[in-house]
Every structure is written in C-alpha cells, then in structure tokens.
Amino acid sequence: MTRTDATVVALDEAFFADPHAVYATLRTTSPVTRALTPVGLSVWLVTRYDDARAALADPRLSKDGDRLAAVLDRHTVTSQRRVSLAAELLRHMLNSDPPDHTRLRKLVGRAFTVRAIAGLRPRIEQIATELADRMAAGPAEVDLLDTFAFPLPMTVICELLGVPDVDRTAFRGWTRSLLATDDDTLERTAAMAAMAQYLVDLVADKRARPGEDMLSAIVAASEHADRLSPDETVAMAFLLLVAGHETTVNLIGNGMLALLRRPDRLAGLRADPDLTPRAVEEFLRFDGPVDLATFRHTTEPVEIGGVTVPAGEIVLVALSSANRDPARFPDPDELDLQREAAGHLGFGFGLHHCLGAPLARLEGDVAFRTLLARFPAMALAVDPAALTWRSSILIRGLTRLPVRLDGQQRPA
Ligand code: HEM
C-alpha cells in the first residue's frame, strides 16, 4: 500500500495488484479513510462490511448524475483531465435517485426477474457448448478470457438486446478503454464518443425496424414521452450492454483462477456439479468482478463507521473488502465452496442492487459446469505470480488468463 500521507490511500498499480492486502490493513487501522484515484480524484473509502452495507442503503449518499459532475470537478486534485462523458450515455438508472431511478428500473425490471431469465438457460448452454467445442478443436494453450469468459456473456447480452453480431468487437474495445484508468484521456473520450454515436444509430435503427429484442421494446416504451426521454433510451442501452458483459467475464475469470489455484476445491466441485450455484456465490464473495461500487456523493454530512464525511464528498464503497471482512465471513481469505456466502455484497445492496444478478448467476452456473465437464485436465499455463490485473477502480479482473487444456505445464 502506498500512502501519500498518514490518511490518504493511493489507488495505484500496487493497489490493483493486490487490493485484498490493502483492505485487510485498512479494515483494522482506518476503515473509513480518504483515498486518491489514479486520475487524482479525492474520495472516501469504506472498507468494513457493516459500514459498506449501511452506506449502500443510505439515501443521503446520492447517485444523481447531474450533481455528481459538479462534485467531481471540485475533487479533482491533479491537473489531469477527466474523460468527457458523452451526454447521451449518462442518464441511466445507476446515475439516478428516485423517482427517476424507480421509473427507469421498472421499465426493464420484469425482463430480468429470475423467472424471465430462467427461459434463457437452453440458449446459454448452447453458446457455452459451442465455445467449448471451438476450444477443444484449437490449440492446447489459450487465454480463457478471450476464448470463453468474454464471448459467453457478450453473446448473451447482445442477443437479448438485439445488437448485430458484426458490431460486437468494436464494442469490446470501447468498453475496455472506458473502464481502464491507465489509457490516454483523449483516447478514452474518443471511445466514449464513438460508442455514443453507435448507440444513437442503433436506437434509431430499432425505431425504424423494430425486432423481437429488448432494445426494440425499450424504444417502443420511449415513444410515450413521459416514460423515457431519447437520452434515457440510449443510456439504458449503454448501461445494459456494458454492465451485461464487463462483469460476468470476470466472474468466470476470477472464479476459474481461484479454482485452478486450489485443485482440491476444483476436484470437489467437479465431483459434485450441483454445488455450482453455491460455488458461484462464493466466487462473487471471494474475488468478485466489482471491486469498488460506483460513485456516490454525500448530500449532507454523513457519519459512516464513526467518521463524519462532510457534504459534497465522493464515497467509494469497497465491495471486495466488505466481502472479506472477518466480522461477517469467518476465515474470509479461504475459498470455501460449501460456505453460506449469501449476504455478500458482490452485486451491491439497496436500491441499486444489480438488476442483472439472475442473469449473471445463470451464466456463471452454465459456464462453470461446462468448463469443468469439458476440460478435466485444465491447468494454469503460467505461474500465478505472473498474472496481471486490470487497472480499474471499478472492475477486478485479469488482463489474461492463460490455461493449458491438456494439463501440461509449459516448458520453462
Ligand atoms: C457477475 C456479474 C455481475 C456483477 C458482479 C454485477 C455487479 C453489480 C453491482 C455491484 C451493481 C451496483 C453498483 C453500485 O451500486 O454502485 C450493479 C448494478 C447493475 N447491474 Fe450488475 N453485475 C453483474 C452482471 C450484470 C448483468 C449481466 C447485467 C445485465 C444487464 C447487469 C446490470 C446491472 C444494472 C442495470 C445495474 C444498475 C441497477 C440500478 O441502478 O438500479 N449486471 N451490478
């Protein structure tokens, strides 16, 4: 951990390499503390489970996007420029408080219930099987993120929303650039603008030629002007697409890494596939895809864990830290697939609790069952110490996950 003074934690490369070590110290020494993001934004970090859960449910911690812009400007302490966010992409539910949040979430809520999502299982299994077939027919060493963990959720969310096949590769580049903190600011602003333009065109296309997909249904709803504005329609598409694929890829990646590092756990799960739903909850707790929840800001002074955070401050709730708080989960650094991991904050908590959780759980279930059944000899192709993590204050995910499907170690 690097500290710029006694109380400010730097969210830097050392932090991204091992956030769990930093969090373990913070939970005992300074559970609610100041931190500095890589682009020089001054924030408050909340690291204990009880404080994190309370903060996520506290209406005084606002998600209002318009007010956030002003707060962000006040808290940027370096000269580095922030990425200019395309206005069309901002008005989504994760940037809103009630009543806008309630209206936006209700519009798609029914499509994402456990029951509605369960109908997708056969198609998700088919996609997973096709990807596994392709892997089995290819080289013995692959990047599991590229060959399986990314294309599975990407294909599912694109099919659900009605994004044409040909456009999916460009989308990956844009979102990667957007969620990284190490890319050039201008490049990220350009990626954002390109994505906004693409989605504006896609929405226009759905309006002109509606299909059976969810985006066409959202566009149809937007025609009632009181329900969804044009910007809200595009922002909804943006949120669902980005949230729908940048997260589940790392549930599969981080979960597979955890298993490959613990062959005993891997063997136990392979012997009892019905344990998979429980294992997925443990992967979400142990090393979930969302490290820090999205920005919240205080609308008045708020006491969190005995510390008074003044009004107009940005608060980052450390979900990964809450999920390893020994006060909530005994022996938290142990991967225990039998444990009762329910209550983890991997999907957030409160009003903004992940809308796509039923879909993510289903994709995770299918992914692990498929990979374990099809590749019984799968092993890490590199020393775990050689693996690198993405530089993002939101996403916890590997840059690559090289595996050998035949179980052979690469010669040194
Ligand atoms: C394992 C995969 C996933 C994880 C770990 C995850 C995690 C999260 C978290 C932590 C939040 C709350 C963020 C906050 O409060 O700051 C959230 C919100 C959200 N997620 Fe997910 N997510 C996943 C998959 C998905 C999928 C597949 C979708 C599908 C479209 C999705 C759609 C959303 C949406 C729309 C919200 C905003 C909800 C609101 O503001 O009311 N997520 N997710």
Side-chain angles (χ1 to χ4, degrees):
M1 171 174 29
T2 315
R3 285 167 181 251
T4 50
D5 72 28
T7 52
V8 181
V9 181
L11 303 178
D12 54 12
E13 288 307 316
F15 168 79
F16 296 132
D18 191 4
H20 296 300
V22 178
Y23 290 145
T25 308
L26 289 177
R27 281 193 304 269
T28 48
T29 58
S30 26
V32 178
T33 187
R34 283 189 168 278
L36 202 59
T37 75
V39 295
L41 197 64
S42 166
V43 298
W44 292 81
L45 204 58
V46 178
T47 51
R48 280 187 187 159
Y49 182 89
D50 286 346
D51 297 339
R53 198 165 183 269
L56 291 172
D58 193 327
R60 296 169 302 170
L61 292 180
S62 169
K63 302 274 311 145
D64 184 285
D66 291 335
R67 271 181 312 185
L68 176 66
V71 175
L72 285 174
D73 279 340
R74 271 209 315 280
H75 285 83
T76 303
V77 298
T78 70
S79 57
Q80 227 173 326
R81 287 183 55 233
R82 276 207 341 269
V83 175
S84 319
L85 300 175
E88 297 92 335
L89 305 184
L90 289 178
R91 295 193 179 279
H92 56 66
M93 68 184 97
L94 199 44
N95 277 343
S96 326
D97 290 332
D100 285 336
H101 174 264
T102 320
R103 175 175 53 90
L104 293 169
R105 183 152 174 146
K106 207 170 152 199
L107 220 96
V108 284
R110 212 176 298 153
F112 281 98
T113 58
V114 173
R115 187 192 270 210
I117 289 300
L120 299 176
R121 183 180 276 271
R123 177 62 189 139
I124 298 175
E125 284 173 346
Q126 192 182 15
I127 298 167
T129 301
E130 283 166 13
L131 291 169
D133 287 347
R134 220 170 295 158
M135 282 165 65
E141 184 175 324
V142 295
D143 173 2
L144 193 64
L145 301 187
D146 256 353
T147 51
F148 190 92
F150 173 74
L152 177 67
M154 183 64 169
T155 308
V156 172
I157 195 69
C158 286
E159 285 190 4
L160 203 60
L161 284 168
V163 176
D165 224 345
V166 290
D167 302 331
R168 295 177 193 169
T169 314
F171 219 87
R172 186 181 194 191
W174 295 331
T175 49
R176 292 234 129 178
S177 179
L178 209 70
L179 295 175
T181 46
D182 51 354
D183 279 15
D184 175 62
T185 307
L186 287 177
E187 201 179 293
R188 292 175 63 207
T189 301
M192 191 80 167
M195 190 183 315
Q197 189 54 54
Y198 171 77
L199 290 173
V200 167
D201 292 347
L202 185 64
V203 163
D205 192 56
K206 298 288 175 194
R207 187 163 286 126
R209 280 176 292 278
E212 293 296 302
D213 53 79
M214 194 185 294
L215 193 50
S216 295
I218 293 169
V219 169
S222 76
E223 270 146 28
H224 307 275
D226 57 326
R227 296 186 66 188
L228 208 60
S229 73
D231 276 1
E232 286 173 341
T233 311
V234 173
M236 178 82 87
F238 167 70
L239 176 65
L240 293 176
L241 273 166
V242 173
H245 78 275
E246 271 298 335
T247 44
T248 314
V249 52
N250 297 309
L251 164 61
I252 302 170
N254 299 357
M256 242 1 256
L257 172 63
L259 281 179
L260 293 172
R261 296 188 73 173
R262 287 297 300 264
D264 56 332
R265 304 290 191 240
L266 179 57
L269 184 55
R270 186 170 282 124
D272 182 7
D274 289 342
L275 196 62
T276 312
R278 190 176 267 257
V280 166
E281 294 311 306
E282 175 66 347
F283 299 143
L284 287 160
R285 183 202 69 80
F286 182 76
D287 213 0
V290 179
D291 181 357
L292 294 148
T294 54
F295 291 156
R296 284 164 168 74
H297 60 277
T298 48
T299 54
E300 56 184 89
V302 179
E303 200 215 289
I304 307 176
V307 174
T308 300
V309 178
E313 296 284 314
I314 298 165
V315 175
L316 287 183
V317 178
L319 307 178
S320 302
S321 177
N323 286 339
R324 290 208 188 190
D325 185 341
R328 176 62 179 77
F329 298 102
D331 205 1
D333 297 327
E334 178 69 12
L335 180 78
D336 176 1
L337 305 184
Q338 306 276 357
R339 99 161 59 226
E340 189 49 74
H344 68 72
L345 301 182
F347 286 123
F349 183 72
L351 286 186
H352 295 278
H353 178 267
C354 179
L355 174 81
L359 176 57
R361 288 186 163 118
L362 177 57
E363 289 174 332
D365 186 61
V366 171
F368 287 101
R369 283 179 197 265
T370 307
L371 288 173
L372 267 55
R374 291 291 300 273
F375 303 106
M378 189 191 290
L380 272 177
V382 294
D383 184 330
L387 294 168
T388 53
W389 295 86
R390 288 169 57 179
S391 308
S392 165
I393 56 167
L394 179 67
I395 297 289
R396 165 89 176 148
L398 292 160
T399 53
R400 297 179 69 240
L401 179 52
V403 296
R404 294 280 314 186
L405 303 177
D406 56 5
Q408 306 291 308
Q409 285 291 324
R410 189 165 40 183

